Amino acid sequence: ARLEDSVKKTVAENPVVIYSKTWCSYSMEVKSLFKRIGVEPLVIELDQLGAQGPQLQKVLERLTGQFTVPNVFIGGKHIGGCTDTVKLYRKGELSTLLSELDID
Amino acid sequence: ARLEDSVKKTVAENPVVIYSKTWCSYSMEVKSLFKRIGVEPLVIELDQLGAQGPQLQKVLERLTGQFTVPNVFIGGKHIGGCTDTVKLYRKGELSTLLSELDID
Ligand SMILES: N[C@@H](CCC(=O)N[C@@H](CS)C(=O)NCC(=O)O)C(=O)O
Ligand SMILES: N[C@@H](CCC(=O)N[C@@H](CS)C(=O)NCC(=O)O)C(=O)O
Ligand code: FES
């Protein structure tokens, strides 16, 4: 519950949040996508948190139904993974979501 | 040296070999690419080999200069990772390599 609250707080207080793993190419792709469009996400590297990493990953699954990384939130809303985010980008919907947040 | 010899033997005796990790999307992509073109690779899942997984990964780095997965061999030749393999496929060169092996 503590960890769950901390996730809710994190995604509420940060416009773009990516739960990631440093050595994962899908995580790299989504991080560099946001960089390309000039947005700086808050990145949480689950493989760098010791025992808390796997715990966080389970909490995220409980909160979003998604166990995999990358796990992307925009404006507190769960977006999905790499494929989902790239799809939104290609449809032009990513910039719409971001513009609603006053960060681009 | 024993592990190195076993890798050399494996890639010499099997037309297509993929060193992979089960939960890695890039590994999944390259496995399904070969499946789509009707080729059945020998897949070695490094995350399912206990302590030998990381050892094999280091041996592969010594042999190929590549530490990352997926690590793809065709006809005993080191091809590269997911991006390299997809590139070859798009250039039409993958089927050329495979046809030289009498397996497509
Ligand atoms: N279609 C999803 C695939 C997500 C996925 O399979 N992620 C893998 C890593 S690439 C994963 O989280 N595997 C389990 C793990 O690393 O704990 C996406 O685009 O994000
Ligand atoms: N461009 C390379 C990327 C390879 C890569 O970064 N692989 C990651 C997993 S997606 C890796 O091996 N990370 C270190 C590890 O898993 O031990 C490819 O297309 O294969
Ligand atoms: S771990 Fe390979 S793409 Fe995520």
Side-chain angles (χ1 to χ4, degrees):
Chain A
R2 280 207 65 191
L3 215 46
E4 223 173 279
D5 289 339
S6 108
V7 171
K8 290 181 183 168
K9 187 172 196 286
T10 301
V11 303
E13 296 180 353
N14 295 279
V16 183
V17 181
I18 303 172
Y19 291 90
S20 162
K21 288 187 187 179
T22 55
W23 31 256
C24 166
S25 293
Y26 264 35
S27 298
M28 293 179 207
E29 277 191 26
V30 91
K31 280 181 275 185
S32 75
L33 169 59
F34 280 106
K35 186 171 189 176
R36 274 207 309 282
I37 62 185
V39 170
E40 184 159 356
L42 174 69
V43 178
I44 292 143
E45 302 289 4
L46 296 182
D47 58 300
Q48 294 185 327
L49 300 175
Q52 224 183 46
Q55 291 171 10
L56 249 185
Q57 198 166 351
K58 291 214 194 78
V59 165
L60 286 163
E61 180 178 31
R62 216 159 50 229
L63 286 173
T64 66
Q66 180 184 320
F67 178 73
T68 56
V69 294
N71 203 331
V72 182
F73 293 79
I74 297 177
K77 199 156 140 279
H78 179 241
I79 297 304
C82 177
T83 316
D84 303 310
T85 307
V86 169
K87 255 189 209 140
L88 284 182
Y89 173 66
R90 290 194 179 142
K91 291 206 265 172
E93 289 176 32
L94 200 63
S95 58
T96 308
L97 282 168
L98 292 166
S99 59
E100 294 169 355
L101 301 173
D102 299 314
I103 54 160
D104 72 342
Chain B
R2 282 208 62 193
L3 215 47
E4 224 173 276
D5 289 340
S6 108
V7 170
K8 289 179 185 171
K9 188 171 195 288
T10 300
V11 303
E13 295 179 355
N14 295 277
V16 183
V17 182
I18 302 172
Y19 291 89
S20 161
K21 288 187 186 180
T22 56
W23 33 255
C24 166
S25 293
Y26 263 35
S27 298
M28 292 178 208
E29 277 191 26
V30 90
K31 281 180 276 185
S32 76
L33 169 59
F34 281 105
K35 184 169 188 179
R36 272 206 311 281
I37 62 185
V39 169
E40 183 158 357
L42 174 69
V43 178
I44 292 143
E45 302 289 2
L46 295 182
D47 57 301
Q48 295 185 328
L49 302 175
Q52 223 184 44
Q55 291 171 9
L56 248 186
Q57 198 167 350
K58 291 213 193 80
V59 165
L60 286 163
E61 180 179 30
R62 219 160 45 229
L63 286 173
T64 66
Q66 179 184 321
F67 177 74
T68 56
V69 293
N71 203 331
V72 181
F73 293 78
I74 298 176
K77 200 154 139 282
H78 179 242
I79 298 303
C82 177
T83 316
D84 303 310
T85 307
V86 169
K87 255 188 211 141
L88 283 182
Y89 172 67
R90 291 193 178 142
K91 292 205 265 174
E93 288 176 33
L94 199 63
S95 57
T96 307
L97 282 168
L98 293 166
S99 58
E100 294 170 357
L101 302 173
D102 298 315
I103 53 158
D104 72 344

